[in-house]
Amino acid sequence: MYLLGEQPAYADQLIQRLQSIPMQLLEGLQPSGSPLRLEQVEDLAKILPGNQLYIIENGLLHAQVDDRPLFYLQEGDLVGLRQGIDLPSCRYSSEEQLTLVPYSRSEVFKHIYGSEQRQELFIQYLIGHTALLSDALARLKQPEIRPATGFQHFAAGEELIHQGDDADHVFVIIEGHAEAWVDGQKVGDVQKDEIFGAMAVFTREKRSATVIASEPCTVMVIPKDQFLSLMQSNPRIAHSLIESMARRIDLMNKEVTQLRAQLQPA
């Protein structure tokens, strides 16, 4: 996936990481048929069955959102994931020869759900593409009406989220490192590529911790509604993510308990 026009360096870095994920997700899975070769395509969705996903083996797919050229997909990109996800309407077209390798949609998801590592990669892939699209759409709008979506930058010492605030977004650190604090006590670290802020979105409660950048950070920002739509369309992935967050919270609670014990007078 590449965005049309000038794009910031952090988007380039994210795109490069996302580009390698589809083949990792499909490793060990056989195609469901022979490659599909197309000469020219006006609207790919009209000619492809909904029960298949496709890897682009050769060629480019141009994507238009609201009749505006916005990005294109190239060799190695995965096509067909948008079904069932609440994202802006997108039309794919190609003016050159296009070769697509088909995979059974149901078998792909079984394959992904069969590995915790593939599930984590899939979450990164979905969220990454959603954030890139949100950022691209935001940059098309006038500055005064751009939403706070896509990517944000934080200097060392700045708060990314604050304990007690409403949870309107989910975040992923693209570059940098941050620390989680509860009631003034450090309870954990937030590493590069780690999702944070999702638990409060799931539970509809206030933020349970403050996250502070320990060094300059670039953060991918996903609006709550888009994140929940992604999770609703992939419930097993959501379940895996919740389990991972629950384990992380359990570790944080243990650290808090130990800190409080150390602070109590003998």
Side-chain angles (χ1 to χ4, degrees):
M1 177 183 186
Y2 276 89
L3 305 178
L4 295 178
E6 186 177 353
Q7 57 192 24
Y10 56 79
D12 281 332
Q13 294 167 5
L14 176 60
I15 287 168
Q16 289 175 13
R17 289 214 297 274
L18 294 176
Q19 198 71 26
S20 66
I21 290 180
M23 294 311 299
Q24 294 180 62
L25 293 175
L26 298 176
E27 185 177 359
L29 190 64
Q30 294 299 313
S32 59
S34 301
L36 179 64
R37 292 179 173 83
L38 305 169
E39 290 300 326
Q40 285 188 334
V41 180
E42 288 293 329
D43 189 346
L44 190 65
K46 292 182 178 180
I47 62 175
L48 294 183
N51 62 348
Q52 301 284 316
L53 298 177
Y54 298 86
I55 286 285
I56 299 177
E57 186 177 77
N58 184 58
L60 291 176
L61 267 180
H62 298 267
Q64 290 188 328
V65 176
D66 295 332
D67 294 325
R68 291 183 174 184
L70 195 60
F71 63 91
Y72 64 84
L73 301 179
Q74 62 172 1
E75 295 173 11
D77 277 322
L78 191 58
V79 181
L81 281 175
R82 296 174 63 88
Q83 293 178 343
I85 299 176
D86 184 19
L87 291 173
S89 176
C90 183
R91 181 172 66 87
Y92 294 110
S93 63
S94 178
E95 298 176 354
E96 59 187 69
Q97 188 179 67
L98 186 68
T99 304
L100 304 174
V101 180
Y103 289 83
S104 165
R105 188 182 181 89
S106 60
E107 290 301 316
V108 168
F109 285 120
K110 286 180 184 177
H111 188 63
I112 291 172
Y113 298 149
S115 163
E116 187 171 324
Q117 182 181 8
R118 285 194 291 268
Q119 290 178 36
E120 291 286 344
L121 281 173
F122 189 50
I123 291 171
Q124 290 180 25
Y125 189 74
L126 288 176
I127 290 178
H129 275 273
T130 300
L132 285 170
L133 181 56
S134 295
D135 187 63
L137 287 169
R139 286 190 282 111
L140 285 176
K141 298 180 179 181
Q142 296 299 321
E144 63 271 15
I145 60 172
R146 287 181 184 174
T149 60
F151 301 88
Q152 294 182 12
H153 304 281
F154 296 87
E158 279 194 272
E159 288 187 356
L160 283 65
I161 59 176
H162 185 78
Q163 183 177 355
D165 282 354
D166 291 330
D168 296 322
H169 296 83
V170 175
F171 305 85
V172 183
I173 291 186
I174 301 302
E175 294 293 340
H177 177 275
E179 297 173 342
W181 296 73
V182 174
D183 298 331
Q185 298 291 333
K186 180 184 173 182
V187 295
D189 295 283
V190 185
Q191 310 288 349
K192 179 179 175 181
D193 293 332
E194 188 170 338
I195 299 170
F196 66 96
M199 183 58 75
V201 167
F202 279 126
T203 62
R204 300 180 182 179
E205 296 179 352
K206 302 289 186 180
R207 298 288 189 196
S208 60
T210 295
V211 175
I212 300 174
S214 55
E215 60 185 64
C217 290
T218 298
V219 177
M220 183 162 57
V221 183
I222 305 97
K224 175 176 66 177
D225 292 343
Q226 288 187 14
F227 178 78
L228 290 175
S229 177
L230 287 173
M231 295 301 102
Q232 287 167 3
S233 63
N234 297 276
R236 292 188 186 180
I237 297 294
H239 180 73
S240 173
L241 179 59
I242 291 171
E243 284 186 337
S244 175
M245 289 188 295
R247 288 193 295 269
R248 197 180 308 154
I249 289 171
D250 183 56
L251 289 173
M252 290 171 62
N253 286 337
K254 289 178 180 177
E255 289 190 34
V256 171
T257 301
Q258 291 174 357
L259 284 169
R260 286 175 175 168
Q262 293 171 6
L263 292 172
Q264 287 179 353

